Amino acid sequence: MLDAPARRKLVEVRGLRKYFPITAGLLRRKIGDVKAVDNVSFDIFEGETLGLVGESGCGKSTCGRVILRLYDPTAGSIRIEGREIADAPQSDLRELRPTMQMVFQDPQASLNPRMTVAAIIGEPLDEHTTLSKAEKLARIYELMDAVGLNRNYANRYPHEFSGGQRQRIGIARALALNPKFVVCDEPIAALDVSIQAQVVNLLEELQDRLGLTYLFISHDLSMVRHIADRVAVMYLGQIAELAPRDDLYLKPLHPYTQALLSAVPEPDPELEAHRRRIILTGDVPSPANPPKGCNFCTRCPKVMDICRQVEPAFREVEPGRFAACHLYSETNETAGPTAAAEARKSIQQGV
Amino acid sequence: MLTYTIRRLLIAIPTLLFISLVIFLILEMAPGDPLADQPLTVPPEVREKMRAALGLDQPAWVRYLLWLKQFFWTEPLHLVDSLFGTAFADPTGRIVSWQFRAPAMDIIWQRLPQTLWVVGLAYVVGVVIAVPIGIISAYRQYSWFDNLGTFVSMVGFSVPTFFTGVVLIIVFAVNLHWFPSIYDTTLKVTDWESFLKQARQMVMPVTVLALFNASQISRFMRASMLDNLQQDYVRTARAKGMSEKVVVLRHVLRNSLIPVVTVIALGIPTIFGGAIITEQVFKVNGLGQLLITAIYANDLPMVQTLTFIFAALTVLFNLIADVLYGVLDPRIRYD
Amino acid sequence: MRLKSALLGAAAGIALAPAAFAERGADGHLNIIYWQAPSILNPYLSSGTKDVESSSMILEPLAGFNEKGELFARLAEDVPTLANGGVSEDLTTITWKLKPGLVWSDGTPVTSADVVFSYEYCTHPEGGCSQAARYEGIQSVEALDDMTVKVTFTAPKPNPYNAFVGSTSPIIQKAQFANCLGAAAQQCTDANFGPIGTGPFKVTEFKPNDVISMEANPNYRDPAKPAFATVTFKGGGDAAAAGRAVLETGEFDYAWNLQLAPDVLAGMEAAGKGKVINAFGTLVERIEMNMTDPSPSLAEGERSTVKHPHPILSDIRVRKALSMAIDRNLLVEVGYGSAGRPTCNLVPAPEMFASDNTECLSQDVEGAKALLEEAGWTDSDGDGIRDKDGKKLSLLYQTSTNAVRQDFQALVKQWWTEIGVETELKNVDASVFFGGDPGSPDTFQKFYADVEMYANNFDGTDPEPYLSQYLCDKIPGPDNGWQGENINRFCDPAYDTLVAELARTGEIEKRAEIAKKLNEMLTKDSYVVVPLVDRGRNSAHSNTLGGVVLNTWDSELWNTSDWFRVK
């Protein structure tokens, strides 16, 4: 208990909420909220990759953007390197931008079509550094080398590149200011499968070399399994389960995670033959009007009465493993204190 | 780009010839008579002689070919003559306006300055106020500023200029005596006092036209900004830690301006077309008034020449707009 | 040196101060606005009023008309008459003598050669002169000496005051226009835009269809005139704007021909900056009856020709009834206000030529009904429309497109409906209606309608050419390309005889008597022409402009040399 923490928490998210107002009528009166992110809490440790997975529309991209304050959170706290940024004014945020960066999903749309590669990569340097022109150019070339882009392309425009190359530009741009924390928002979703591996490998390599911390947002469970150290599963704006990668993939706890994983094809034909898919019925409820009780109760194969009444707490059910499910809150009640104590310890130690 | 431009210019030649033929035929078929405004007391024999003096006794195709020769051969030669003091052109072969019995091009040159001053300035003013309004309206979409801007541009767009013009005259000229109601085209700006006088008489026509132009362009600007503000690269720019000023002015504005610049370029020929109604209301008597009086007087050579010049300018500025698009947007390449 | 001359100038100024009232150019600047812009300053190439009147400030004829329609000498020493021997006894020659010492604005003397040249200029067969009618019937114009010109006519001319009289046939300078004869007239832009004249002003800059800048003619024959040193003659816009500029904002001193609704004009005048003035000429708004059948069932070339008399309107009782049903006072009130007066005459002025016919001025609906009954038109089927022999009393009534004319049409239709006449209204764009295109079915000459309404007047004060329009041989038809001024195809040998007599008569009282008779033959005796309104003219001048006398017999600007600034 008195041990010094082995790994530092770089990002701490607590009770994060992001609601988008719904307006209607002549006077655009607010009539409700889309609860894109609804009470989410987790930590990211320095140097690790946290995978954030979920179906499209579950709020994972919003979550990533709110953490970088590209959206203003509705409630909650975000601490990066111990500094609270949830309510920091934009001017303060700008100073923090160099430490936290983002790689976007669509490399085509996320690059300004009227700027050359050099201008795109170099622009943050103009804004945040006092480098001379030559130094800036050297830095641009260095970054292009690092992401495997030919230096001769520095004066070309984004539309002249292939999708994979554009994503490399996007990564180089994100790395320009030596960030510590990078949110990768579906960085490979728009790429060909053959290119996906290259980009993921590049990200891993850069992580090793530069000691980066990633929040890797993806709907591709296999890719997350490949890159992530820990994985958080989101459903309808909330985290259903958060666990170390191997634990999660071996023994998913939350029924939603189970269903999700059962859909992943197995490379081993024998295992694949025995794979039992859990087919979820019904549609994902609207985030504007989530169900009462547990978010997942409308589609859960193991639904209980309590699920429709009480919202399950997001809690540590095994050391290092968190889930929001009544299945575990009941059964683990007896193991209660010890398990909880263990859990707390493990969080502190950052398993 | 150069070969593209040259190719487009070459294609423009048959286009313009076709346009000139269409204009000629339309004018030919239109009802009316160039001598219609002559009083009834002029006897028919005299009318017939006047008609022959105008060349109206020739068949239509002869008159068309003659006009082509005059416009594409005699007039350019005359221009060279007047610039370099040479004497290539046949002074009797120029396009002669029926109502003035004077070379049409001379009158057009005479009218050009006042039209460019008033209508051109109004266009510039319109653009200058429209761009910031469009930017702010889009950036603060649905704010009171945006709503006010929307309202004002709806008004500017839908209320005809002859109405706004007359309202301004009644308020500022008749009641308040701030500005003259009749534009003095003989005024020459020589000193500070005459400059002020010129400015005073330009205020109302420029305001009316600028309001109209601005409401149109600000709508374009706003729509284009909104389009770009939602683009991913804007988020990228924010994520890079760029200040809002840089994000809006450098990233969003530059991209938004591409379509707006082409719209502005396409609007320039309308400056030369003058503002028929506004020129009439304020008696600016520029090219627009020249055209409308020529139409009333059935002065076919003048109408034909003016409309053809407008058509040529429209074709030219279409090309300029396309080339500009290519220059501004690196994604577009013409080859 | 400069100081000295300045002092001398100042001293001279003080010394001359009492005489300043009568000094040329003492009253500064004059602003005139015509809502139709002048496009050329040579009246021989355009007979548009705007062009003729603007050039009348620069160019002058030998004699002009005053506001009463009386002749007075301008460049001539006096008006030649039978009495003073200027007109020959046989009415075939007139001899004009120029005022001595006359000079053009460029300082060169005016001679009889200029007068002869003006005649040659306008009568050149290729010149396309729009005033050629003023020189018709002339055999020769010769200079007897430097100051004397003799005009010889081909036949006795009882009214010899056409050539060189009035603003439409001024004297132009031979030296300036010598190379502009015939087809070359079109090329002489400098001369056409800046003629050298003898009038009170000369052109300094002309922007066609926009503005004329003028200054006082330094060589004007009266050294004390004109009072204004410079003039801006602005053109363009509309009558309302012109009226506003004089009556409401006071930017301009004189506005021409304010064809505005009476209440609008009154509202403007109430601003107190200027006055509306009006005068009456010979412009009469009338309904013309078609004496021939315009029925579309007739073959093209037969329609509206003398071959087929009109089935309804050939009966004078119907024509008279139609006239009786009209309330001319109401028409004046609705359409023209102070600028109109009801009339029963085709020739309403000048006074000596105007018949005292006032019979039509009071509306008589009952009388009209009785007359139709008498003519056999009865409403046999009770649908409100009279009929006779199975034919309905139904008329097509056409005119040009014009707000006042459409108001008139609506009112007349209402009155005619009251007496059981069905009326179908039609309006045609003015440029087509008056365009004279023989290919168009909608010209007023073709008259493919039963009745039509327009206004016409005559030039100058003598109604002879105007009344001779109604001769049998002037009926428009396919054989003369639908040219001809006898629009209603009226044909009466007695009328033709009387016109011939008028042409032989030189004595003015006798001429007036015959003219009145002719006028009555067309109006109250036959109701072929149904005059409605004698249309006068409204113009306006600012309170500070003096000397304005509105003249409908000549240019409105006939006496600008006498205009002055009210102090």
Side-chain angles (χ1 to χ4, degrees), chain A residues 65 109-110 112 114 123, chain B residues 233 235-236 250-251 254-255:
Chain A
R65 288 171 192 170
S110 62
N112 188 333
R114 284 189 62 207
E123 197 185 23
Chain B
Y233 72 82
R235 199 162 52 227
T236 309
R250 194 188 296 165
H251 289 261
R254 281 196 192 170
N255 279 291

Side-chain angles (χ1 to χ4, degrees), chain C residues 278-485:
Chain C
N278 59 3
F280 295 92
T282 57
L283 186 65
V284 172
E285 186 85 29
R286 82 290 289 278
I287 291 176
E288 302 261 8
M289 303 278 171
N290 194 343
M291 303 301 286
T292 59
D293 191 356
S295 162
S297 59
L298 293 171
E300 198 59 31
E302 304 248 312
R303 219 178 146 185
S304 281
T305 63
V306 283
K307 280 186 192 155
H308 304 278
H310 199 284
I312 301 169
L313 296 175
S314 295
D315 185 342
I316 185 178
R317 288 172 295 192
V318 178
R319 302 199 297 266
K320 187 174 181 187
L322 292 176
S323 171
M324 286 163 79
I326 295 170
D327 181 352
R328 289 168 174 76
N329 290 303
L330 187 61
L331 289 179
V332 168
E333 202 179 301
V334 167
Y336 296 100
S338 62
R341 56 184 182 194
T343 185
C344 303
N345 286 320
L346 185 59
V347 181
E351 226 176 285
M352 66 162 64
F353 290 106
S355 160
D356 56 358
N357 170 20
T358 53
E359 187 189 342
C360 74
L361 292 186
S362 48
Q363 189 189 23
D364 182 4
V365 174
E366 290 315 311
K369 283 182 186 165
L371 210 52
L372 288 175
E373 293 284 338
E374 187 195 318
W377 291 96
T378 49
D379 185 7
S380 61
D381 53 5
D383 63 352
I385 301 160
R386 290 173 192 275
D387 52 83
K388 178 169 148 182
D389 308 332
K391 192 173 164 50
K392 294 238 174 260
L393 183 43
S394 172
L395 299 173
L396 174 62
Y397 175 10
Q398 75 175 8
T399 187
S400 71
T401 308
N402 167 311
V404 174
R405 292 209 168 115
Q406 267 73 76
D407 284 349
F408 276 28
Q409 275 187 318
L411 284 168
V412 170
K413 177 177 178 163
Q414 197 186 321
W415 291 319
W416 286 356
T417 309
E418 246 177 87
I419 62 168
V421 177
E422 184 183 53
T423 315
E424 188 190 334
L425 302 181
K426 176 177 174 183
N427 64 73
V428 182
D429 186 82
S431 64
V432 176
F433 191 63
F434 298 116
D437 176 5
S440 166
D442 289 327
T443 62
F444 79 106
Q445 287 105 329
K446 274 227 172 136
F447 206 165
Y448 283 180
D450 300 300
V451 295
E452 68 183 3
M453 176 171 70
Y454 59 89
N456 201 355
N457 62 336
F458 57 93
D459 230 7
T461 53
D462 188 83
E464 185 195 329
Y466 190 51
L467 289 166
S468 34
Q469 289 181 351
Y470 294 88
L471 294 175
C472 294
D473 63 355
K474 293 210 173 154
I475 294 175
D479 22 302
N480 59 10
W482 299 97
Q483 302 299 320
E485 300 92 350

Side-chain angles (χ1 to χ4, degrees), chain A residues 24 39 47 64 69 186 190 192 217 225 239 312 318 337:
Chain A
N39 196 10
R69 279 293 305 277
E186 307 240 24
D192 283 354
I217 299 168
R225 185 173 194 172
I239 295 188
E318 278 178 33

Side-chain angles (χ1 to χ4, degrees), chain C residues 90-294:
Chain C
D90 61 357
L91 303 176
T92 56
T93 67
I94 180 166
T95 308
W96 295 90
K97 229 173 155 44
L98 288 169
K99 279 197 171 93
L102 273 180
V103 287
W104 295 101
S105 59
D106 64 357
T108 57
V110 179
T111 68
S112 50
D114 293 312
V115 181
V116 175
F117 176 79
S118 300
Y119 164 74
E120 285 166 357
Y121 180 87
C122 189
T123 51
H124 194 285
E126 284 161 45
C129 175
S130 50
Q131 311 297 350
R134 301 204 70 95
Y135 296 100
E136 259 177 9
I138 292 179
Q139 193 173 49
S140 66
V141 176
E142 44 194 327
L144 298 182
D145 58 47
D146 265 5
M147 305 304 282
T148 318
V149 179
K150 182 173 155 196
V151 181
T152 311
F153 300 102
T154 49
K157 196 107 178 164
N159 175 28
Y161 309 112
N162 265 328
F164 314 121
V165 176
S167 52
T168 48
S169 56
I171 309 303
I172 54 174
Q173 194 192 35
K174 182 176 181 179
Q176 192 185 21
F177 284 89
N179 295 323
C180 303
L181 278 176
Q186 316 288 332
Q187 312 297 340
C188 286
T189 309
D190 289 344
N192 294 335
F193 282 5
I196 292 167
T198 54
F201 295 95
K202 64 175 210 173
V203 186
T204 49
E205 193 193 11
F206 177 50
K207 291 185 174 179
N209 268 14
D210 181 13
V211 67
I212 315 167
S213 301
M214 291 184 254
E215 62 182 27
N217 174 1
N219 294 311
Y220 189 61
R221 55 185 173 275
D222 185 339
K225 290 174 180 173
F228 289 101
T230 49
V231 179
T232 295
F233 189 114
K234 176 83 178 179
D238 50 279
R244 202 182 292 131
V246 170
L247 296 170
E248 291 189 283
T249 69
E251 289 165 82
F252 280 76
D253 295 305
Y254 188 82
W256 159 82
N257 194 13
L258 300 177
Q259 291 177 0
L260 293 171
D263 52 327
V264 172
L265 210 51
M268 285 183 178
E269 201 174 9
K273 296 243 175 201
K275 279 191 267 303
V276 176
I277 47 177
N278 59 3
F280 295 92
T282 57
L283 186 65
V284 172
E285 186 85 29
R286 82 290 289 278
I287 291 176
E288 302 261 8
M289 303 278 171
N290 194 343
M291 303 301 286
T292 59
D293 191 356

Side-chain angles (χ1 to χ4, degrees), chain B residues 46-164:
Chain B
V46 177
R47 262 169 203 272
E48 220 32 67
K49 276 190 193 148
M50 291 169 73
R51 203 175 274 280
L54 298 176
L56 266 169
D57 49 347
Q58 302 284 327
W61 64 271
V62 173
R63 280 182 284 134
Y64 176 63
L65 290 181
L66 181 67
W67 181 85
L68 281 185
K69 184 198 155 210
Q70 287 171 330
F71 190 87
F72 289 105
W73 183 246
T74 317
E75 289 294 345
L77 278 185
H78 179 83
L79 190 65
V80 170
D81 288 353
S82 55
L83 287 180
F84 304 108
T86 50
F88 293 126
D90 163 21
T92 59
R94 304 186 62 196
I95 303 169
V96 172
S97 147
W98 288 346
Q99 46 177 341
F100 308 127
R101 314 297 164 97
M105 288 305 287
D106 289 359
I107 316 275
I108 293 171
W109 283 114
Q110 189 185 57
R111 291 301 181 90
L112 198 56
Q114 52 228 46
T115 287
L116 286 190
W117 262 113
V118 174
V119 188
L121 185 69
Y123 200 68
V124 172
V125 170
V127 170
V128 165
I129 61 176
V131 169
I133 289 177
I135 295 171
I136 299 171
S137 289
Y139 190 65
R140 302 238 177 274
Q141 197 186 6
Y142 302 129
S143 64
W144 66 266
F145 184 92
D146 183 30
N147 287 329
L148 183 73
T150 306
F151 176 75
V152 170
S153 43
M154 292 282 266
V155 169
F157 204 65
S158 52
V159 177
T161 49
F162 64 79
F163 182 78
T164 36

